[in-house]
Amino acid sequence: HFSFKKSPPEIDKLPGFLEELSAQITIAIDNMLTYDKLEAMNKRLWKEKEYLFERFDKQNREFYYTSPAMTELMKDVELVADTNTSVLLSGETGTGKDHIARHIHNLSSRRDHLFVKVNCAALAPTLIESELFGHAKGSFTGASAKRRGRFETADGGTVFLDEIGELPLPSQSKLLQVLEEKAFERVGESIPISVDFRTIAATNQDLMPKVRNGTFRRDLYYRLNTVHIWIPPLRERAEDIPLLVRCFTTRLAETMQKPEVQYVSAAMEALCQYPWPGNVRELQNVIERVTILRGGHKINETDIDHMLHSFETTENNPEESGFLTRYEMEREHIEKALAKCRGVIGGKYGAARL
């Protein structure tokens, strides 16, 4: 309350007081709005986190086995799961290394935190550090905002280094340092960030020859290979095939809203005798093809022979079908870009930018 009996000098101070008061009110309102935005963002992120956990659990439930070989392997997985020990998974392509890694994470005390997968073969050599460790705003061309790396995202959880044998040698030393010190610096920053994560690596190669010829660091190999779990190929655990066929058939029929196919005993025997060079992934693709083309029918041995032969022709012998593979299309696409740029790869007018 202001009295009009006050002297004019005091009245003159009123506008300044109101300006200061309005500034404080503005700050308070901004803080309230910012809090509301942060609260809404946290709720959205929590829902996304719950969705990811639900999705990972669903994927883990799709891992089926009944053979003695896989039963013994899963005993080892359960023993090593609830520890912080580094695990190296090896096996042929399509044997289920990704599923085993997720299963280890889900059995561990880190299950309430994220499982972060890093496909080392898919990382661009020039962006590996940014992907793994993050970068500061303006640290390089195109870095318009600060970015968290995969290791920082996995704090409290598990980092899955898939196809670790494909990681370039210069990046291996930096990875080793992070694994040993559990700390790193973002690209463009000098402040160390401490993280707590568990490491699981996977490869479809024999890393020892790469260690001997110097393309894979020996110290990194022994750092990752504390516990080694080899996943047998599908042809060595044929007892799993009937179970896998039934589970894939039911799930795919439900997803595609098609009636389930029925396999006669001779057809199932043919599936069990096939060597499956692509392992479980190839089996799933064949069952998907059968479900699409023969949904609701009874499948006999002749149908299986036709499906397997057709699948082999399309996937392994593309020249016979007259259709380019994705690899061939990518190669042709890159060659055209190089020709257009006259062999220049980097820079403003290089093939990489094009």
Side-chain angles (χ1 to χ4, degrees):
H1 299 283
F2 299 95
S3 173
F4 291 100
K5 296 180 180 180
K6 293 181 179 180
S7 59
E10 292 179 347
I11 295 178
D12 291 341
K13 296 179 181 179
L14 182 60
F17 169 75
L18 293 177
E19 288 181 3
E20 292 180 3
L21 180 62
S22 63
Q24 295 297 323
I25 293 174
T26 301
I27 293 173
I29 294 175
D30 286 340
N31 289 338
M32 291 174 59
L33 293 175
T34 301
Y35 175 80
D36 290 340
K37 289 180 180 178
L38 288 175
E39 188 177 18
M41 184 182 297
N42 286 334
K43 289 181 179 179
R44 178 175 60 82
L45 291 174
W46 183 256
K47 289 181 179 179
E48 291 178 358
K49 182 178 179 180
E50 288 181 336
Y51 166 76
L52 288 173
F53 286 152
E54 181 181 354
R55 179 170 172 265
F56 290 159
D57 289 342
K58 182 179 179 181
Q59 288 180 340
N60 184 65
R61 289 195 297 270
E62 294 174 357
F63 186 73
Y64 313 110
Y65 64 92
T66 187
S67 63
M70 288 303 298
T71 302
E72 289 298 319
L73 183 147
M74 295 307 290
K75 289 180 181 178
D76 293 339
V77 166
E78 292 175 2
L79 289 174
V80 75
D82 201 16
T83 67
N84 287 321
T85 303
S86 299
V87 180
L88 177 63
L89 304 174
S90 63
E92 297 178 6
T93 298
T95 51
K97 296 185 290 293
D98 186 288
H99 285 288
I100 294 291
R102 294 183 191 277
H103 189 62
I104 293 174
H105 172 76
N106 289 336
L107 290 177
S108 72
S109 58
R110 299 175 179 271
R111 67 179 69 91
D112 293 331
H113 297 275
L114 288 179
F115 175 92
V116 179
K117 179 179 178 179
V118 180
N119 190 336
C120 299
L123 294 177
T126 55
L127 297 176
I128 287 179
E129 289 187 46
S130 173
E131 286 290 330
L132 296 181
F133 313 132
H135 61 252
K137 181 179 179 180
S139 56
F140 56 85
T141 303
S144 58
K146 180 184 290 188
R147 184 180 185 279
R148 289 161 57 96
R150 306 289 182 90
F151 284 106
E152 190 174 356
T153 303
D155 189 21
T158 302
V159 175
F160 176 46
L161 302 171
D162 196 15
E163 303 298 343
I164 187 65
E166 301 294 335
L167 193 67
L169 193 60
S171 301
Q172 293 177 21
S173 58
K174 297 175 182 177
L175 174 61
L176 177 63
Q177 182 179 1
V178 174
L179 296 181
E180 291 180 342
E181 299 179 1
K182 295 296 177 69
F184 58 89
E185 298 174 358
R186 291 195 189 102
V187 177
E189 290 184 349
S190 57
I191 303 174
I193 301 173
S194 298
V195 287
D196 174 32
F197 59 87
R198 197 249 185 97
T199 307
I200 303 177
T203 180
N204 58 5
Q205 307 176 35
D206 183 1
L207 293 181
M208 279 310 299
K210 297 176 71 71
V211 171
R212 295 189 189 99
N213 61 29
T215 57
F216 197 86
R217 291 180 62 100
R218 184 178 296 272
D219 45 6
L220 177 59
Y221 173 77
Y222 288 116
R223 181 66 179 80
L224 295 171
N225 195 24
T226 305
V227 174
H228 181 206
I229 296 178
W230 177 76
I231 305 174
L234 187 58
R235 61 182 175 273
E236 295 183 11
R237 47 187 175 101
E239 300 92 338
D240 291 335
I241 294 176
L243 175 62
L244 289 168
V245 170
R246 288 194 297 270
C247 293
F248 288 155
T249 298
T250 301
R251 180 170 60 82
L252 289 171
E254 181 181 349
T255 302
M256 299 178 183
Q257 296 184 346
K258 287 180 171 289
E260 291 187 26
V261 299
Q262 302 293 325
Y263 295 88
V264 302
S265 57
M268 189 64 73
E269 184 66 25
L271 289 172
C272 292
Q273 292 179 355
Y274 182 70
W276 299 109
N279 292 292
V280 179
R281 187 179 295 122
E282 182 185 2
L283 173 62
Q284 183 174 352
N285 290 341
V286 170
I287 299 304
E288 183 173 351
R289 169 174 266 176
V290 172
T291 303
I292 293 172
L293 300 179
R294 302 285 291 168
H297 291 76
K298 186 169 290 188
I299 305 300
N300 56 38
E301 186 178 6
T302 303
D303 295 324
I304 291 299
D305 290 340
H306 174 72
M307 289 290 178
L308 293 176
H309 175 72
S310 176
F311 189 80
E312 286 180 336
T313 300
T314 304
E315 297 296 325
N316 301 328
N317 300 301
E319 65 278 3
E320 295 180 8
S321 63
F323 200 78
L324 293 177
T325 65
R326 184 178 65 178
Y327 172 81
E328 291 172 330
M329 287 190 292
E330 288 176 346
R331 180 184 179 89
E332 184 178 347
H333 185 64
I334 293 171
E335 288 175 347
K336 286 181 179 179
L338 288 170
K340 186 177 181 66
C341 298
R342 298 181 180 180
V344 178
I345 298 175
K348 184 176 180 180
Y349 303 102
R353 181 179 179 85
L354 178 63

